[in-house]
Amino acid sequence: MARIGIDARFFGSLGKGLGRYTQKLIENLERIDRENQYVVFLRKDNFDEYVPKNPNFHKVLADYRWYTFSEQLFFPRLLKKHDLDLVHFPHFNVPLLYRRKIVVTIHDLILLHFPTLRSTTLSPIWYWIKYLAYKWVIGSAVSRARHILTVSEFTKKDILEHYSKAKNKISVTYEACENGQEKERKNDSQIIRKYGIMKPYLLYVGNAYPHKNLERLIDAFGQLLQGNPELMLVLVGKEDYFYGRLKAYARAKGIASVIFAGFVPDDELGQFYADAQAYVFPSLYEGFGLPPLEAMKELVPVICSNHECMQEILGDAAYFVDAHSQNELANGLDEVLANEKLRQALVEKGKKQIKKYSWEKMAQDTLAAYVLAVKKQK
């Protein structure tokens, strides 16, 4: 039996994609592991959101903000206090002063590939200081980790190209879309009407960081509107600096048919997917890319960038386009909207594709990594 700590400060909706990964990992570990003891570290904002269902799981308050000095200075003291055999950090931000056994999950290397000032609200000087600190912290985590987990073969290859010390201690644990039965397409649109959506629409769900390529999506949508004036583009994501900038961009382009829905709770998000004509994911870089799988679960055809990672995750179940090209993106959207046979084929392939991924399998593979890491001496 081992005492395993999990840094769950990202747990739940508070941590967006990282939060879902952390939540699903813990929930499934609770189901499959009755032997090891777990200490789950949470922030004040999500402490009540997690209620242990396995007597071997205990939660502890660790109210240290991500990427801060308090995380680096005080969190290690708390971890040492609990005398853990292993700590799993589900993100690269491993405190530099914690020197005991760790497992780290690295979801992507976006900051290495997109070190652009358009990705931050910081001043240029502070941005580059933050960027250098990021490189230092992630490099240290890779070096010190007994095992490294990542979420796709693409990201594994990316990590190995940048960090030779990851060799022989890295494995892939795929994410998954939500558990549950396939849902029939719904006709009741009361949920989406309160967001001002009255016409057929294309859907995007996620953040508006520059690598998501949403400005080009808006341009392609404006081009598509010339032949489809009744169409809308719905963007779902919490209001922030980047979505504010995107709103201004849409206004400057004079495209009134773009709806910024803001944050949509999970119990309503399924309806957004189910009622969409298609889901579009034009991202130029991803470590996994979960929303397209969630769209497939709701029986919605997916148009996606032909990024290497997305082709790995989605197989032949999406319509791929070169999302660097406005014309190709617009033409791909048009083709999927106009071709009913293609749409149905994508839906059927999507139903099969999502069955390849399981949160329980992810947890089983993670537990196997824990066992190896606890035994490993160096």
Side-chain angles (χ1 to χ4, degrees):
M1 183 185 75
R3 284 178 56 78
I4 300 170
I6 299 179
D7 176 10
R9 290 174 299 145
F10 283 102
F11 185 97
S13 58
L14 180 69
K16 302 179 182 178
L18 286 169
R20 179 163 296 181
Y21 168 83
T22 306
Q23 179 177 349
K24 292 301 174 184
L25 172 62
I26 292 171
E27 289 174 351
N28 283 277
L29 284 172
E30 283 186 318
R31 283 194 280 268
I32 66 173
D33 191 359
R34 298 284 171 175
E35 180 178 348
N36 296 296
Q37 295 286 329
Y38 289 85
V39 182
V40 180
F41 297 92
L42 299 136
R43 291 187 61 190
K44 188 180 298 183
D45 291 341
N46 59 9
F47 192 81
D48 293 334
E49 189 174 349
Y50 170 58
V51 179
K53 297 180 175 61
N54 180 327
N56 288 359
F57 284 69
H58 308 277
K59 62 181 182 176
V60 170
L61 182 65
D63 199 27
Y64 311 114
R65 285 182 57 214
W66 317 301
Y67 323 124
T68 62
F69 288 113
S70 65
E71 171 185 77
Q72 291 294 326
L73 294 175
F74 303 121
F75 194 23
R77 297 181 190 176
L78 181 63
L79 294 173
K80 291 173 185 176
K81 178 182 175 182
H82 287 273
D83 193 25
L84 301 161
D85 297 302
L86 181 74
V87 178
H88 180 191
F89 293 91
H91 195 34
F92 71 84
N93 56 324
V94 180
L96 294 166
L97 297 178
Y98 189 75
R99 294 288 167 166
R100 299 184 183 181
K101 290 183 178 180
I102 63 170
V103 167
V104 61
T105 303
I106 298 177
H107 295 262
D108 56 61
L109 297 180
I110 286 175
L111 287 179
L112 289 185
H113 294 281
F114 290 85
T116 168
L117 290 171
R118 295 193 71 244
S119 299
T120 183
T121 60
L122 299 175
S123 69
I125 293 175
W126 276 110
Y127 173 77
W128 289 113
I129 290 174
K130 179 181 176 182
Y131 175 69
L132 292 173
Y134 158 77
K135 292 187 70 174
W136 183 20
V137 170
I138 194 171
S140 175
V142 168
S143 178
R144 291 184 286 126
R146 291 300 196 275
H147 197 84
I148 299 165
L149 300 170
T150 192
V151 292
S152 65
E153 291 293 340
F154 165 79
T155 305
K156 177 182 176 179
K157 182 176 72 172
D158 203 12
I159 292 169
L160 288 171
E161 287 175 354
H162 286 86
Y163 301 100
S164 60
K165 290 185 177 180
K167 189 176 181 180
N168 300 324
K169 62 175 184 178
I170 185 169
S171 59
V172 174
T173 57
Y174 286 116
E175 298 181 36
C177 58
E178 296 294 339
N179 300 324
Q181 300 297 317
E182 296 168 357
K183 299 178 181 178
E184 295 297 327
R185 191 177 283 276
K186 303 168 185 175
N187 295 318
D188 182 8
S189 298
Q190 292 300 318
I191 289 177
I192 64 169
R193 284 179 183 170
K194 70 180 184 181
Y195 291 88
I197 305 168
M198 304 296 178
K199 300 177 182 179
Y201 62 93
L202 298 169
L203 178 67
Y204 167 83
V205 176
N207 63 56
Y209 297 153
H211 71 275
K212 296 296 186 179
N213 201 29
L214 297 185
E215 289 181 355
R216 188 168 286 116
L217 173 58
I218 287 174
D219 290 340
F221 176 69
Q223 184 175 327
L224 185 67
L225 275 178
Q226 297 175 18
N228 300 268
E230 294 301 310
L231 196 62
M232 301 183 88
L233 173 63
V234 176
L235 305 175
V236 173
K238 185 178 179 180
E239 179 78 26
D240 61 7
Y241 168 81
F242 300 100
Y243 262 115
R245 188 169 64 188
L246 195 65
K247 278 185 180 181
Y249 184 85
R251 284 196 300 268
K253 289 286 184 174
I255 304 175
S257 299
V258 180
I259 297 291
F260 292 87
F263 172 78
V264 174
D266 285 346
D267 60 351
E268 296 183 350
L269 189 57
Q271 189 70 55
F272 273 76
Y273 281 116
D275 283 358
Q277 297 296 301
Y279 179 82
V280 55
F281 198 67
S283 180
L284 301 178
Y285 181 98
E286 291 294 325
F288 184 82
L290 190 55
L293 290 178
E294 294 181 331
M296 290 176 179
K297 180 176 178 290
E298 296 290 347
L299 312 183
V300 178
V302 172
I303 304 107
C304 187
S305 69
N306 61 2
H307 182 260
E308 181 181 342
C309 177
M310 298 318 304
Q311 294 188 65
E312 174 191 343
I313 301 304
L314 303 182
D316 65 350
Y319 189 92
F320 293 105
V321 298
D322 179 2
H324 291 90
S325 167
Q326 175 184 325
N327 286 335
E328 281 211 26
L329 185 52
N331 290 338
L333 296 172
D334 191 40
E335 175 67 17
V336 172
L337 288 172
N339 188 333
E340 185 60 29
K341 186 177 180 180
L342 172 61
R343 292 168 55 78
Q344 289 305 314
L346 290 172
V347 168
E348 291 302 315
K349 290 177 180 178
K351 288 164 64 175
K352 295 177 182 177
Q353 189 69 14
I354 62 172
K355 293 177 181 178
K356 297 179 180 180
Y357 304 103
S358 160
W359 286 120
E360 182 172 331
K361 175 67 162 54
M362 180 270 286
Q364 289 170 344
D365 292 343
T366 302
L367 179 57
Y370 291 168
V371 173
L372 288 174
V374 169
K375 292 178 180 178
K376 190 179 290 188
Q377 294 305 309
K378 291 184 179 180

